[in-house]
Amino acid sequence: MALNPPSPSLSIFREKKSFSQLPSMMKAVSYLSAVQQADFRTRTHDNPHTAPTPALSRSSSPATSFEDFVLNEDDDNSSLVNPNTPPMSEQVSTTPHTEFGHCANEAYRCVSKHDYTKPFLEHTIEEPPLYVHLATYISFIILYTLGYLRDLFGMYFTKSHFTHLEFHDGYAPLDSKFDSFVRRRLKRRMDDCYAQPITGVPGRTLHILDRYSLDYNHTQIYTGGKTCALNLSSYNYLAFSQGHGGWADAVAESIRQYGVSSCGTRLGSGSNDLHVFAEALIARFLGTEDALVCSMGFATNSTFIPTLAGKGSLIISDELNHTSMRVGIRQSGAEIRLFKHNSMSDLESVLREAISQGQPKTHRAWKKILVIVEGLYSMEGTLLNLPKIVELKQKYKFYLYIDEAHSIGSLGSRGRGVTDYFNVPPGSIDVLMGTFSKGFGAAGGYISGSKSLIDALRLRSHSGPYAEAITPSVITQVVVSMASIMGVVPASQLTESMPFPCLDSSIVAPKKGVEELPGMVPASMLPRWMILCPSLADGSEARMRMRRLAFNCRYLHAGLKKLGFIVYGHASSPIIPLLIFNPGKLAVFVRMMRARPIPIAVVFVSYPGTSFLAGRVRLCPSASHTKEDIDIVLRACDEVGGILDMRYGSCERWGIDEVCERAVELVHSV
């Protein structure tokens, strides 16, 4: 039975007329006409300011003309909220674009947790019709054939343009011919979609710098204008990266306290008391004994993994692990095995064979076995089957290393990642790794585990004694973000009888025997100068954002499937891969989304980032988006997908109006 749709929250967007009310042919002609006009303007080098740029309007009144879509930079945030209902968030920005969208409707909230009454769904790949694969192969064949013909004639008639691919002046070419070919003949055709420079905070909206090219994307010319677009392209999951509010105030104070940057390594003059506060807070946040921070997320994996395993050890890795992990695994010198992506049955088969056969040639027992996986896979949006892999760990006695770059902060009712989402005790995991650039709006990474492990990593890993320390302003953002998620309580209010607040059984139902994570953090664990506003100190702001993020992710994922698209990943994942397949449609999809009356910024991935047949757009909703924002994205995908023939899914289909009206029911059904 359908639920009564809740009253809509206030939106800053307005449209002149719904494109869904127009016949599909009229919509196609309208889009193609707009693309042709834009192409004509760029090729004739017209001034872009002579015509109105489609952008976001902050007025809630109906639009009466196309010019009304232009952003009014003189408005303040009073037009975003109901004056009778003050916003819960104190982070509403006063900048021309909107960093955070206010939504007071409690129906548009959801808790990120695993339902143990339902089986965990293994990663499945839904295949499109055969003609889609055929058309994709033909597209690549045409691209490569024409590209190689152009190179063949170019090397004969314009040799000066290809000297970098041939031996010259006694030097061998640095770049391989195939890599150069892909970059010149495939990627460059879509560089206006790959590399879209932005300015300002990538919050609910962002500003894209307008450019055009007169030499087929060899160079890009900045026009001086900007397009304000709805942002579905950033990893700012909880919208902690803001230019105004409690987080920014704390960062500004840290600059007054410590200066703009620090110098030296962690063992030199670059480390300070902020790093000690941060590492203690991270360990408490994750429920581990100790933690170690690193100034770069990529280096966290690539430099710490070689310290954990070496010759005589075995590393078993998921076939779709991130490049940073692959680099670290190769540098370790350990024997390497791969298992199929997120397949626990294949992992068990690899484990059984490796343990029974032992080391190559000698067949001696392995010194150690380390299984390396991700909590949430950035390209597929799939979630690790943590309960099953912990079960295998107890059976086969291997060490487990989990990369939570995308899951920490974005998953779990308390934002603690996959262990929180599945309610699995953190002590079951040997090494927890994560980054600060996604859920916390900062930069860098961390390694967390037992104290003996972290002490060894401090001395033996390259990032420990040699890497630059994280600057005070960045580490302050990490501390404030984690403290706002946990909540801060004065140390005098904590009693021995209740050191940590109990879990709310209505939100998370702990399994029998599962340890509880530490709750609110004592004020003594924060620097004395760090004073948080009430909504951050009590954790209410962060809890609201986590619940909004969970709703937005589930709604967008389920809505796209109901509209007939092939979507990968888990329903709770903030990364939603929308499969497009054909390389020609990828660039057109991005350009059409940006050319809409309300522009939408998205990113896409094609070969060699994915396989030939798996080109996709990755949509990344955040807590800053309102339910109406997701409606706008769904309607845009529905219209553009209809024009480009992208609905290949086999799921039961709904109309776009039904999806938007039954959003709450849809979210709680997945």
Side-chain angles (χ1 to χ4, degrees):
M1 180 180 296
L3 301 176
N4 292 329
S7 59
S9 59
L10 196 59
S11 171
I12 65 169
F13 303 114
R14 54 180 177 175
E15 295 190 55
K16 177 181 178 182
K17 188 174 183 179
S18 174
F19 276 75
S20 61
Q21 298 174 0
L22 301 176
S24 59
M25 183 57 68
M26 292 180 63
K27 290 186 290 184
V29 172
S30 175
Y31 274 116
L32 294 177
S33 176
V35 172
Q36 290 175 356
Q37 292 176 12
D39 182 69
F40 176 77
R41 285 198 302 271
T42 56
R43 294 185 183 278
T44 56
H45 199 176
D46 283 348
N47 188 341
H49 298 289
T50 60
T53 301
L56 298 177
S57 171
R58 306 176 73 177
S59 170
S60 59
S61 60
T64 57
S65 66
F66 185 73
E67 285 77 10
D68 289 335
F69 288 113
V70 179
L71 180 68
N72 183 357
E73 298 189 1
D74 297 329
D75 288 348
D76 57 19
N77 284 306
S78 61
S79 63
L80 301 181
V81 299
N82 187 337
N84 298 323
T85 308
M88 294 174 56
S89 171
E90 297 181 13
Q91 314 306 321
V92 178
S93 173
T94 58
T95 53
H97 74 104
T98 313
E99 293 181 1
F100 191 84
H102 171 62
C103 177
N105 195 326
E106 289 295 324
Y108 302 144
R109 308 284 192 270
C110 184
V111 177
S112 176
K113 65 175 182 178
H114 178 60
D115 186 357
Y116 276 95
T117 62
K118 300 178 181 179
F120 181 85
L121 298 178
E122 294 286 348
H123 175 60
T124 57
I125 298 179
E126 185 177 359
E127 295 291 345
L130 183 60
Y131 78 87
V132 176
H133 283 325
L134 182 61
T136 302
Y137 273 122
I138 292 175
S139 298
F140 274 109
I141 291 173
I142 294 174
L143 279 172
Y144 277 72
T145 301
L146 294 179
Y148 276 115
L149 287 176
R150 292 184 65 184
D151 280 4
L152 181 63
F153 285 101
M155 289 179 183
Y156 184 80
F157 293 105
T158 56
K159 293 183 179 180
S160 60
H161 293 169
F162 296 89
T163 54
H164 65 287
L165 297 177
E166 305 292 340
F167 283 88
H168 62 284
D169 300 330
Y171 290 95
L174 286 175
D175 198 7
S176 70
K177 290 186 177 180
F178 181 75
D179 289 343
S180 174
F181 177 84
V182 171
R183 185 177 63 253
R184 290 180 294 105
R185 301 304 185 194
L186 182 61
K187 178 180 177 295
R188 186 175 293 167
R189 291 173 176 266
M190 302 178 285
D191 262 351
D192 60 313
C193 302
Y194 269 117
Q196 301 182 65
I198 66 172
T199 181
V201 177
R204 181 192 189 188
T205 61
L206 52 74
H207 280 143
I208 304 175
L209 302 183
D210 295 330
R211 303 174 301 162
Y212 67 94
S213 177
L214 298 176
D215 51 10
Y216 300 98
N217 285 335
H218 281 73
T219 59
Q220 298 281 343
I221 302 173
Y222 176 44
T223 66
K226 295 182 292 185
T227 297
C228 187
L230 188 61
N231 180 21
L232 269 293
S233 59
S234 299
Y235 291 148
N236 189 17
Y237 296 141
L238 295 177
F240 285 162
S241 177
Q242 294 188 182
H244 299 77
W247 294 275
D249 293 342
V251 171
E253 181 61 28
S254 72
I255 294 176
R256 287 189 285 268
Q257 295 283 338
Y258 298 94
V260 176
S261 63
S262 61
C263 302
T265 63
R266 285 300 312 275
L267 299 184
S269 60
S271 184
N272 55 42
D273 61 328
L274 273 177
H275 296 87
V276 178
F277 283 118
E279 290 174 347
L281 188 63
I282 292 168
R284 183 181 179 90
F285 181 79
L286 297 172
T288 58
E289 293 181 0
D290 202 358
L292 174 61
V293 297
C294 179
S295 58
M296 183 180 178
F298 190 100
T300 307
N301 276 327
S302 61
T303 61
F304 283 114
I305 290 178
T307 311
L308 298 173
K311 188 176 181 180
S313 301
L314 172 66
I315 294 180
I316 302 178
S317 171
D318 189 289
E319 64 179 353
L320 295 184
N321 274 342
H322 191 264
T323 303
S324 61
M325 306 168 76
R326 297 185 180 190
V327 170
I329 291 171
R330 294 191 190 103
Q331 291 177 346
S332 68
E335 191 72 20
I336 304 171
R337 298 282 193 278
L338 299 180
F339 67 94
K340 294 179 182 179
H341 174 55
N342 218 18
S343 173
M344 297 299 103
S345 59
D346 191 57
L347 171 61
E348 185 171 15
S349 298
V350 173
L351 281 166
R352 292 170 65 90
E353 181 182 0
I355 293 173
S356 63
Q357 296 298 320
Q359 298 185 40
K361 298 182 180 179
T362 64
H363 298 289
R364 295 178 179 176
W366 300 101
K367 293 182 179 179
K368 70 179 76 170
I369 299 177
L370 178 63
V371 174
I372 299 181
V373 292
E374 293 188 46
L376 181 64
Y377 291 84
S378 60
M379 197 63 67
E380 305 295 318
T382 47
L383 188 63
L384 172 69
N385 189 349
L386 185 59
K388 181 61 178 179
I389 202 170
V390 169
E391 180 183 330
L392 293 177
K393 180 180 185 298
Q394 295 171 349
K395 181 178 181 181
Y396 293 99
K397 309 302 180 183
F398 57 80
Y399 293 104
L400 181 58
Y401 181 110
I402 300 181
D403 178 342
E404 290 207 86
H406 289 270
S407 56
I408 193 68
S410 63
L411 289 178
S413 61
R414 294 156 292 173
R416 315 294 174 88
V418 292
T419 57
D420 187 18
Y421 182 85
F422 288 104
N423 213 12
V424 171
S428 303
I429 317 301
D430 300 291
V431 187
L432 286 169
M433 175 269 173
T435 62
F436 306 126
S437 56
K438 281 82 176 177
F440 304 106
Y446 66 83
I447 287 283
S448 182
S450 65
K451 182 171 177 52
S452 59
L453 171 67
I454 299 303
D455 287 342
L457 293 177
R458 291 183 195 278
L459 297 177
R460 298 176 185 174
S461 68
H462 295 165
S463 291
Y466 302 119
E468 292 286 339
I470 303 179
T471 59
S473 57
V474 175
I475 201 69
T476 298
Q477 172 73 17
V478 174
V479 171
V480 176
S481 298
M482 284 195 176
S484 66
I485 293 176
M486 300 178 72
V488 181
V489 62
S492 59
Q493 296 183 12
L494 289 175
T495 62
E496 293 183 359
S497 60
M498 191 183 68
F500 310 124
C502 297
L503 297 177
D504 183 355
S505 60
S506 65
I507 298 178
V508 178
K511 296 174 65 180
K512 185 178 180 180
V514 173
E515 305 168 2
E516 290 188 358
L517 289 173
M520 300 180 75
V521 58
S524 59
M525 293 188 67
L526 304 180
R528 292 185 177 180
W529 53 265
M530 186 177 291
I531 308 298
L532 302 183
C533 61
S535 63
L536 298 189
D538 62 13
S540 60
E541 176 76 15
R543 285 194 297 271
M544 178 270 293
R545 294 187 178 217
M546 289 187 291
R547 291 165 69 87
R548 281 185 59 175
L549 173 65
F551 179 89
N552 291 341
C553 296
R554 285 173 172 261
Y555 178 33
L556 183 56
H557 184 278
L560 289 172
K561 291 184 73 70
K562 285 297 184 182
L563 291 176
F565 295 99
I566 294 181
V567 180
Y568 284 177
H570 194 272
S572 297
S573 168
I575 302 170
I576 304 174
L578 172 60
L579 274 292
I580 298 180
F581 303 101
N582 194 297
K585 293 182 181 181
L586 284 169
V588 176
F589 181 88
V590 175
R591 291 165 184 157
M592 291 178 71
M593 294 291 278
R594 181 175 172 180
R596 291 183 59 79
I598 295 177
I600 301 174
V602 298
V603 294
F604 73 94
V605 187
S606 181
Y607 180 84
T610 64
S611 64
F612 278 104
L613 299 178
R616 67 197 64 178
V617 169
R618 289 193 302 173
L619 304 176
C620 299
S622 73
S624 64
H625 294 121
T626 64
K627 190 264 184 184
E628 284 69 33
D629 296 340
I630 308 301
D631 289 344
I632 291 171
V633 175
L634 289 173
R635 291 185 183 277
C637 291
D638 182 59
E639 294 168 8
V640 176
I643 295 170
L644 299 181
D645 184 26
M646 292 167 42
R647 300 193 187 100
Y648 312 125
S650 59
C651 179
E652 176 190 1
R653 297 190 184 183
W654 291 3
I656 182 60
D657 292 331
E658 184 179 6
V659 169
C660 296
E661 291 172 1
R662 300 173 62 182
V664 176
E665 175 190 355
L666 194 59
V667 165
H668 292 287
S669 66
V670 295

